[in-house]
Amino acid sequence: MRLLVLGGTWFVGHAVVTAALDAGWEVTTFNRGTSDPFLEAISSIKGDRHTPEDLVRLTDAGPWDAVVDTSGYVPSNVLAVARALAPVASRYVFMSTLSVYQDWPVKPLNERSEVLYCPPGAGPDYGTDTEDGPTRYGYQKAGCEAAAVAAFGVERTTILRPGVVLGPREYVGRLPWWLRRVAAGGAVLAPGSPGRTIQPVDVRDLAAFTLRTISEQSSGAFNVCAPIGSATFGELLAHCADSTHTDASFTWVPDDFLLGQGVRQWSELPLWRTFDGVWSTDTTASQAAGLRTRPLEQTVRDTWRWLVDSGDIGNHDRAAEIGISREKEAQVLAAWRRSGERSG
């Protein structure tokens, strides 16, 4: 199997490349070469997906059995890239997101839920951000999905819509932040209820499912998350404590109190968000197509091992957005204790 990965050096792309090599596939990556190369076994083509001349060089290196696009964010660009590759590739797999759904994160979702409208030729300014609803990122990714289908057709296109992806090499820093905070010990501010269910997917399971859709020529859109009810927030933090061998203690503070203290959802306390739809995504289609997800405990343990051995996400822009300061955390915990004293 000859595979082309657009991107392939950071997180999801890295996992797809690694899984493909382990399966004995012949892998080519296409990227600007701004990240460190990581595997000698791949064929690497350096180029910019926004540069027509680079796309010509890329197509000349074909053909491929499949393309996995992990770096497409602007519909007009995805349309140009997919059209260029359509004559030299049998299948196009586009890595999308749950953010393409009109009702995310407010309502539960399945693959039949309404997708945001964005034309396949839209530029980077299409769409708007709303406080608790659709985002420009979601509109753009929806347009990218449409672009992939426009170039390759429905039968030759696979759309993967992961929710939260965790695991080794996670550069966003959500699980790494929790691991590092819990490892530091002491009183840890824990959001909401320990029984709140969560659905993160391990990046390695996402990669394995990506290869499976290629091997079985599975067309259409798939929500790629762990099954509903497979893990809880309390279990996540308990696994962090077990993995880091810490003496941390968790103080669970209700949602309303945290919101009243101005704690930002999703960023200051990673993975915490109060809407009903955040962790209510149906994965029946993905499970039927072969998605298998490992226990969250394994994801947490392996991510901590990576952090200890070589993990460094400080050089990625998105990592700077994650995590509450220790000062603010202490202030919120103190306020929560005072509220209990008053109510007592």
Side-chain angles (χ1 to χ4, degrees), residues 11 24 84 95 102 156 168 179 192 212 218 274 281 295 298:
F11 182 40
M95 199 65 64
Q102 176 72 45
R156 296 169 61 202
L179 281 163
R212 188 178 184 105
S218 302
T274 60
T281 298
Q298 184 178 344

Side-chain angles (χ1 to χ4, degrees), residues 35-196:
S35 302
D36 292 336
F38 64 98
L39 291 171
E40 296 180 356
I42 63 174
S43 172
S44 179
I45 301 174
K46 289 184 173 59
D48 190 325
R49 60 183 294 152
H50 296 271
T51 302
E53 294 80 4
D54 291 346
L55 291 182
V56 171
R57 287 194 300 108
L58 178 62
T59 56
D60 288 345
W64 292 280
D65 296 299
V67 178
V68 178
D69 188 351
T70 69
S71 60
Y73 296 96
V74 179
S76 58
N77 175 253
V78 171
L79 184 62
V81 171
R83 281 177 171 170
L85 292 172
V88 295
S90 299
R91 177 164 296 277
Y92 199 90
V93 181
F94 183 73
M95 199 65 64
S96 189
T97 170
L98 293 183
S99 295
V100 300
Y101 288 114
Q102 176 72 45
D103 289 331
W104 195 90
V106 178
K107 298 180 181 178
L109 302 171
N110 57 50
E111 285 87 354
R112 298 179 301 279
S113 299
E114 184 179 357
V115 173
L116 296 166
Y117 173 74
C118 178
D125 296 329
Y126 189 93
T128 57
D129 288 317
T130 54
E131 184 175 356
D132 297 328
T135 61
R136 178 169 292 176
Y137 170 70
Y139 279 106
Q140 291 281 307
K141 279 290 196 176
C144 291
E145 292 185 4
V149 172
F152 271 74
V154 174
E155 294 302 318
R156 296 169 61 202
T157 304
T158 306
I159 304 296
L160 302 182
R161 295 170 180 159
V164 172
V165 184
L166 303 178
R169 299 181 62 88
E170 186 219 326
Y171 60 77
V172 177
R174 295 178 177 125
L175 179 52
W177 185 86
W178 276 116
L179 281 163
R180 286 171 170 151
R181 173 61 194 92
V182 173
V188 177
L189 175 61
S193 166
R196 173 175 278 139

Side-chain angles (χ1 to χ4, degrees), residues 70-331:
T70 69
S71 60
Y73 296 96
V74 179
S76 58
N77 175 253
V78 171
L79 184 62
V81 171
R83 281 177 171 170
L85 292 172
V88 295
S90 299
R91 177 164 296 277
Y92 199 90
V93 181
F94 183 73
M95 199 65 64
S96 189
T97 170
L98 293 183
S99 295
V100 300
Y101 288 114
Q102 176 72 45
D103 289 331
W104 195 90
V106 178
K107 298 180 181 178
L109 302 171
N110 57 50
E111 285 87 354
R112 298 179 301 279
S113 299
E114 184 179 357
V115 173
L116 296 166
Y117 173 74
C118 178
D125 296 329
Y126 189 93
T128 57
D129 288 317
T130 54
E131 184 175 356
D132 297 328
T135 61
R136 178 169 292 176
Y137 170 70
Y139 279 106
Q140 291 281 307
K141 279 290 196 176
C144 291
E145 292 185 4
V149 172
F152 271 74
V154 174
E155 294 302 318
R156 296 169 61 202
T157 304
T158 306
I159 304 296
L160 302 182
R161 295 170 180 159
V164 172
V165 184
L166 303 178
R169 299 181 62 88
E170 186 219 326
Y171 60 77
V172 177
R174 295 178 177 125
L175 179 52
W177 185 86
W178 276 116
L179 281 163
R180 286 171 170 151
R181 173 61 194 92
V182 173
V188 177
L189 175 61
S193 166
R196 173 175 278 139
T197 58
I198 57 176
Q199 292 181 268
V201 64
D202 190 291
V203 68
R204 296 162 294 184
D205 297 332
L206 171 58
F209 183 63
T210 301
L211 300 195
R212 188 178 184 105
T213 65
I214 294 170
S215 297
E216 300 189 359
Q217 300 184 33
S218 302
S219 304
F222 298 93
N223 297 331
V224 189
C225 309
I228 295 174
S230 59
T232 67
F233 216 118
E235 290 169 343
L236 170 70
L237 296 191
H239 295 326
C240 288
D242 291 342
S243 296
T244 59
H245 306 290
T246 181
D247 63 352
S249 62
F250 301 107
T251 300
W252 292 90
V253 178
D255 294 335
D256 289 346
F257 190 87
L258 293 174
L259 295 173
Q261 293 292 310
V263 179
R264 296 195 306 276
Q265 300 182 59
W266 214 239
S267 56
E268 284 194 304
L269 291 178
L271 305 178
W272 167 63
R273 205 163 184 179
T274 60
F275 297 113
D276 292 338
V278 175
W279 304 111
S280 300
T281 298
D282 180 78
T283 60
T284 302
S286 296
Q287 298 293 326
L291 173 66
R292 299 295 179 264
T293 56
R294 69 195 67 202
L296 181 59
E297 179 181 8
Q298 184 178 344
T299 302
V300 173
R301 183 181 65 246
D302 292 349
T303 302
W304 177 243
R305 184 179 297 118
W306 164 70
L307 284 171
V308 170
D309 292 344
S310 60
D312 182 8
I313 57 173
N315 62 345
H316 197 281
D317 292 343
R318 294 188 66 181
E321 304 170 0
I322 298 299
I324 193 171
S325 70
R326 294 297 294 271
E327 293 77 14
K328 185 172 181 178
E329 180 187 26
Q331 291 170 3

